[in-house]
Amino acid sequence: MADFHKVQELGLDEETTLKIVERLKHIAQLYRTGKPLFPRHLLEDLSRQIDEGKDEVYIRDFDDVPQVYSLTVPSWCTDFANTYRINYQSIHSLSCPTPFCPEFVLRSDHAPVTIEYMRASGPSGSTLEAIRGAFVRQRQIWMNSHGHQNLEHHLATLKTTASIRKIVCFGLGSLGQLCGYHCTRAHTQHAAVETMVASLVKRGLNRGQEIKCYAQDPIYDKVDQEFLRSIGIIPLEDPKGFLEVDEHTLVFSVSPNVPVKQIVADLDWPAAMVWNTVTPSEKDRCWVKRTEKNGTVGWTCPFTTDPDSGRVRGMIKHYAHAQFKDSDECFGDLTIYMKFDEYSSSD
């Protein structure tokens, strides 16, 4: 990960290049020793500080040094930000310097969990009644789809030794945007939660207990949250969704903007996951430079916002799995994973 020649290609002076390489080597060494990026105690402590209404929070970096962050938008970024959010950096993000600002890896806020500032979009303007009507229509389409049948089949037949008492969802999107492709996807994905509950109860994996459902997505507004509660899904603020994940949880995640897979792998391994397919391996990747016809230089990021990792691949070896066939393209490339004491895969 800390290749001198790759960093040297970024055009920095030798002293800065050496500092960056040493920092990347240090990160890689900590990671190889098994140090978690996202330990539960760190997220619990951050959640507590936010709940206490503090103006500032302290978050330990990868070296366990407390760093202070303001929860009030600083004056230097009020022209583009009106709120804060928790920023989670995958091992890929920590280990692969961006060519735009490679020196960022030397900053104190180059850490797995930080606070960053952003401009939140306002409420969608949709009413609860309008959202309900759109959801009912899309739910019916989902219930009659091949995707619904496929999901039911795999949840009923994949080998598992787990019991499931809750479903925690990440990144399913706002329900209030009532036009276009994203609306169809969001409503279908939320409707699939009901299918999961019914399938797990029918199979008896809940062991007679109620299956509680939670959803975390910073894009939810108050109307989204009210509607979610009306269909039996409890909306949670970040990071409380992650803190709900335990050995009796099914994690449902669709192309999130945070590294859900790597966060979950550092927490308690869940009973099951329905999330983007984990690739068997990956080659050493770096930013790819591209030059447009007009001479403009751009860069392509070598990893997604929710990348796989060695830890994630090691975790799923304990799960039976089957690919979710999504003929309506409302979910993307997802796989269903269910915990089993021996690695097994579905036909």
Side-chain angles (χ1 to χ4, degrees):
M1 283 186 281
D3 187 291
F4 176 82
H5 296 292
K6 289 181 179 178
V7 178
Q8 194 177 41
E9 290 172 1
L10 299 177
L12 304 172
D13 62 82
E14 185 174 353
E15 181 180 359
T16 303
T17 298
L18 287 172
K19 286 181 180 179
I20 291 174
V21 169
E22 289 304 311
R23 180 58 189 167
L24 295 178
K25 286 181 178 178
H26 179 65
I27 292 170
Q29 176 60 27
L30 289 176
Y31 191 73
R32 280 195 298 268
T33 64
K35 186 177 180 63
L37 299 175
F38 312 104
R40 180 176 291 274
H41 66 81
L42 185 150
L43 299 184
E44 288 175 337
D45 184 59
L46 176 56
S47 182
R48 175 189 57 77
Q49 293 181 73
I50 293 173
D51 288 346
E52 290 175 353
K54 295 181 178 295
D55 293 329
E56 295 181 335
V57 294
Y58 290 85
I59 308 174
R60 293 184 178 274
D61 62 20
F62 209 22
D63 291 301
D64 293 323
V65 177
Q67 304 292 339
V68 63
Y69 298 92
S70 172
L71 297 187
T72 301
V73 178
S75 58
W76 60 265
C77 61
T78 52
D79 58 332
F80 65 84
N82 59 10
T83 188
Y84 76 90
R85 70 177 177 187
I86 302 173
N87 180 39
Y88 302 92
Q89 295 199 70
S90 67
I91 188 60
H92 299 67
S93 180
L94 292 172
S95 305
C96 188
T98 166
F100 306 110
C101 186
E103 301 95 328
F104 183 74
V105 302
L106 303 176
R107 289 171 37 167
S108 61
D109 56 348
H110 186 67
V113 183
T114 63
I115 297 296
E116 66 178 10
Y117 308 100
M118 56 171 285
R119 178 159 296 278
S121 57
S124 65
S126 298
T127 65
L128 185 64
E129 293 72 22
I131 292 175
R132 190 179 308 281
F135 180 80
V136 169
R137 290 190 294 273
Q138 194 57 44
R139 176 184 177 275
Q140 188 58 50
I141 294 172
W142 160 248
M143 295 293 288
N144 295 328
S145 70
H146 293 297
H148 175 267
Q149 296 173 9
N150 185 260
L151 181 60
E152 276 192 324
H153 168 73
H154 292 311
L155 290 176
T157 58
L158 270 175
K159 293 181 179 180
T160 184
T161 54
S163 62
I164 300 177
R165 301 170 189 167
K166 67 177 81 167
I167 296 174
V168 181
C169 311
F170 297 98
L172 302 191
S174 172
L175 294 149
Q177 303 296 331
L178 299 181
C179 297
Y181 177 57
H182 292 292
C183 168
T184 300
R185 282 176 61 94
H187 283 255
T188 303
Q189 290 167 16
H190 285 88
V193 177
E194 178 187 23
T195 301
M196 294 177 191
V197 172
S199 298
L200 297 172
V201 170
K202 184 177 181 180
R203 188 172 177 179
L205 295 181
N206 60 324
R207 307 293 193 265
Q209 297 190 31
E210 176 189 7
I211 296 179
K212 294 184 178 181
C213 299
Y214 304 91
Q216 176 181 300
D217 193 325
I219 203 170
Y220 290 144
D221 61 21
K222 291 183 178 180
V223 181
D224 283 321
Q225 294 172 356
E226 184 178 357
F227 178 73
L228 288 172
R229 293 188 186 96
S230 75
I231 60 172
I233 299 175
I234 302 169
L236 294 176
E237 299 293 335
D238 193 8
K240 296 185 185 299
F242 293 119
L243 295 175
E244 284 292 339
V245 175
D246 61 21
E247 62 181 353
H248 299 293
T249 301
L250 183 154
V251 173
F252 179 32
S253 174
V254 183
S255 301
N257 285 328
V258 296
V260 169
K261 288 185 277 192
Q262 293 190 23
I263 296 170
V264 168
D266 274 350
L267 299 171
D268 292 327
W269 289 0
M273 299 88 69
V274 180
W275 63 18
N276 295 92
T277 301
V278 177
T279 55
S281 63
E282 65 181 344
K283 298 179 180 179
D284 186 30
R285 298 180 178 182
C286 58
W287 286 78
V288 177
K289 186 177 182 179
R290 66 178 192 278
T291 304
E292 307 295 343
K293 292 181 179 179
N294 61 3
T296 303
V297 175
W299 294 87
T300 301
C301 184
F303 49 86
T304 68
T305 53
D306 186 25
D308 303 323
S309 68
R311 291 180 185 177
V312 173
R313 295 185 186 94
M315 179 180 73
I316 66 163
K317 291 180 180 179
H318 300 269
Y319 293 73
H321 68 269
Q323 188 168 21
F324 173 43
K325 296 179 181 178
D326 173 27
S327 58
D328 296 323
E329 299 184 354
C330 287
F331 298 85
D333 179 21
L334 298 190
T335 291
I336 302 155
Y337 299 89
M338 302 190 77
K339 202 168 189 180
F340 190 55
D341 55 7
E342 294 181 13
Y343 177 70
S344 172
S345 62
S346 170
D347 296 332

